């Protein structure tokens, strides 16, 4: 596979997942402001912008600034609109390995964004968040149903999994670091689609330690950090399989596999109490792990190598 196409697929997975998760985080944020009139809006908005990598002075932070930065900024790939536009542009460059249905879904989603933006400003942003969640689920559902399980599929799922680790850890950070302005654990579980699976697993009221444990460590819930790391590690193992056949007998073949495997191992073998006792540091470490793994994937699979130049004998 051409590195250009592999990179496009990797970033389609990341951008669609980023739009989905950003919509979930913003939905929690706006719901919380509506339901609790005693929340310090400026503080909550400033904390959210800082967590999402777009800090601003606290006195300038409000809900309008949050939505303009994280939902409607077409120039920023960190916003919902920017991420979906970037996913569509990447799909344009990988048409030969995507099904027509995936391309049409991304194209329709992109073309509907101006109307959704107008409706969000007129009636409130929740219709936009629901639209983004549904369209993201449709794109990944079509990928599940129409793509062969070859390298193209592996790069798409690898991008989605790494982004999911990063965004789930940010969702947890919105609860852990926000102090009095934090959303309830029930709201955090609902935003990740984990509320019903959590109730079926623990069969009781929502408990802060168990909720954090579920979103971090549950092996069976697909949005948990552990399950996403395990999926990313599986994709990297498949992509590196050719190198293993060529004689790598010790350790793993790629730096990205090493980074992701180390993070997964830390979660798997460290005691839960020890993880929860230093949860803010662990979440920050997970976000840095995703950044390092993404960079390693880029260096390993996408960086174009300079053409080899043969030097005649006697020269140099």
């Amino acid at each position: 596979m051409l590195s250009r196409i592999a990179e496009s697929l990797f970033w389609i997975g990341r951008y669609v997942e980023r739009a989905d998760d950003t919509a979930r985080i913003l939905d929690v944020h706006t719901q919380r402001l509506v339901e609790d009139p005693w929340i310090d809006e400026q503080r909550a908005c400033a904390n959210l912008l800082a967590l999402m990598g777009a800090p601003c002075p606290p006195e300038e932070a409000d809900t309008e600034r949050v939505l303009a930065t994280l939902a409607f900024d077409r120039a920023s790939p960190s916003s919902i609109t920017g991420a979906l536009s970037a996913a569509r542009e990447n799909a344009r460059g990988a048409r030969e390995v995507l099904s027509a249905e995936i391309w049409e879904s991304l194209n329709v989603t992109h073309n509907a964004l101006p109307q959704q933006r107008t409706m969000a400003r007129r009636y409130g942003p929740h219709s936009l968040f629901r639209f983004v969640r549904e369209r993201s689920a449709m794109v990944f559902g079509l990928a599940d149903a129409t793509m062969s399980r070859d390298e193209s599929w592996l790069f798409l799922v690898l991008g989605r999994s790494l982004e999911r680790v990063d965004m789930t850890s940010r969702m947890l950070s919105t609860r852990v670091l926000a102090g009095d302005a934090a959303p309830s654990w029930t709201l955090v579980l609902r935003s990740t689609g984990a509320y019903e699976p959590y109730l079926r697993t623990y069969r009781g009221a929502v408990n802060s330690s168990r909720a954090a444990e579920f979103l971090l460590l549950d092996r069976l819930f697909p949005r948990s950090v552990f399950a996403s790391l395990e999926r990313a590690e599986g994709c990297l193992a498949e992509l590196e399989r050719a190198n293993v056949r060529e004689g790598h007998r010790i350790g793993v073949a790629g730096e990205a596999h090493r980074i992701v495997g180390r993070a997964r191992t830390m979660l798997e073998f460290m005691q839960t109490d020890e993880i929860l006792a230093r949860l803010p540091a662990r979440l920050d470490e997970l976000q840095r792990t995703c950044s390092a793994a993404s960079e390693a994937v880029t260096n390993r699979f996408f960086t174009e190598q300079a053409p080899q130049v043969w030097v005649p004998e006697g020269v140099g």
Side-chain angles (χ1 to χ4, degrees):
M1 174 180 287
L2 294 174
S3 62
R4 169 183 61 81
I5 293 175
E7 186 170 16
S8 293
L9 290 163
F10 176 78
W11 281 103
I12 290 169
R14 290 205 66 167
Y15 282 134
V16 174
E17 181 67 26
R18 183 178 301 173
D20 182 11
D21 292 336
T22 303
R24 292 172 183 275
I25 290 173
L26 290 178
D27 205 11
V28 169
H29 175 77
T30 53
Q31 277 188 45
R32 190 159 46 98
L33 293 179
V34 170
E35 292 174 0
D36 188 351
W38 305 107
I39 285 180
D40 183 347
E41 181 178 344
Q42 279 192 330
R43 183 184 171 197
C45 292
N47 286 341
L48 180 60
L49 286 168
L51 278 172
M52 299 299 286
C56 80
E59 62 274 12
E60 298 177 12
D62 56 17
T63 301
E64 188 174 349
R65 175 71 175 262
V66 167
L67 293 177
T69 304
L70 300 179
F72 302 132
D73 187 355
R74 284 179 290 185
S76 170
S78 297
S79 78
I80 292 173
T81 306
L84 289 174
S85 298
R88 186 240 198 182
E89 287 306 308
N90 277 277
R92 188 198 295 275
R95 290 285 304 275
E96 57 264 51
V97 295
L98 290 175
S99 68
E101 291 158 285
I102 296 176
W103 164 249
E104 286 175 9
S105 180
L106 286 168
N107 209 29
V108 167
T109 303
H110 175 266
N111 291 338
L113 285 174
Q115 182 188 6
Q116 290 295 324
R117 179 175 177 159
T118 302
M119 290 178 61
R121 287 187 165 163
R122 186 173 300 171
Y123 304 112
H126 299 292
S127 62
L128 170 68
F129 302 149
R130 185 172 61 250
F131 170 79
V132 172
R133 290 200 305 270
E134 290 174 354
R135 298 303 299 187
S136 301
M138 178 175 287
V139 170
F140 287 133
L142 287 170
D144 278 341
T146 63
M147 289 183 71
S148 298
R149 298 314 191 249
D150 55 12
E151 288 183 335
S152 58
W153 163 258
L154 292 172
F155 279 113
L156 182 79
V157 175
L158 175 60
R160 181 183 69 182
S161 301
L162 287 180
E163 188 69 26
R164 187 168 285 178
V165 171
D166 182 77
M167 296 301 281
T168 300
S169 67
R170 288 179 194 272
M171 287 184 198
L172 282 165
S173 296
T174 61
R175 177 65 184 82
V176 174
L177 300 178
D180 296 337
S184 68
W185 279 107
T186 300
L187 207 53
V188 173
L189 288 169
R190 286 190 187 280
S191 73
T192 55
Y195 184 61
E196 289 81 9
Y198 172 89
L199 292 181
R200 284 195 293 273
T201 302
Y202 292 104
R203 301 180 186 280
V206 175
N207 172 283
S208 59
S209 297
R210 284 184 171 179
E213 179 186 78
F214 187 79
L215 289 175
L216 269 178
L217 302 174
D218 193 86
R219 293 175 184 274
L220 303 182
F221 181 62
R223 284 190 175 277
S224 79
V225 171
F226 182 87
S228 300
L229 283 171
E230 195 171 42
R231 176 62 67 90
E233 194 178 1
C235 292
L236 287 166
E238 286 291 318
L239 290 168
E240 296 283 4
R241 181 170 290 178
N243 288 334
V244 173
R245 282 199 298 266
E246 289 166 7
H248 288 271
R249 297 176 55 176
I250 299 174
V252 295
E255 181 63 18
H257 193 176
R258 181 175 295 105
I259 293 169
V260 173
R262 191 162 52 215
R264 192 264 308 159
T265 305
M266 184 272 290
L267 290 179
E268 187 169 21
F269 294 105
M270 188 175 285
Q271 289 188 347
T272 304
D273 293 343
E274 193 177 351
I275 294 174
L276 297 180
R278 297 186 59 214
L279 191 54
R282 300 295 177 203
L283 295 174
D284 185 58
E285 188 178 342
L286 283 168
Q287 290 163 33
R288 283 188 277 111
T289 293
C290 290
S291 178
S294 182
E295 186 177 346
V297 168
T298 299
N299 291 333
R300 170 67 181 86
F301 296 106
F302 309 147
T303 304
E304 294 183 3
Q305 296 181 351
Q308 190 170 8
V309 178
W310 293 94
V311 180
E313 291 183 7
V315 177

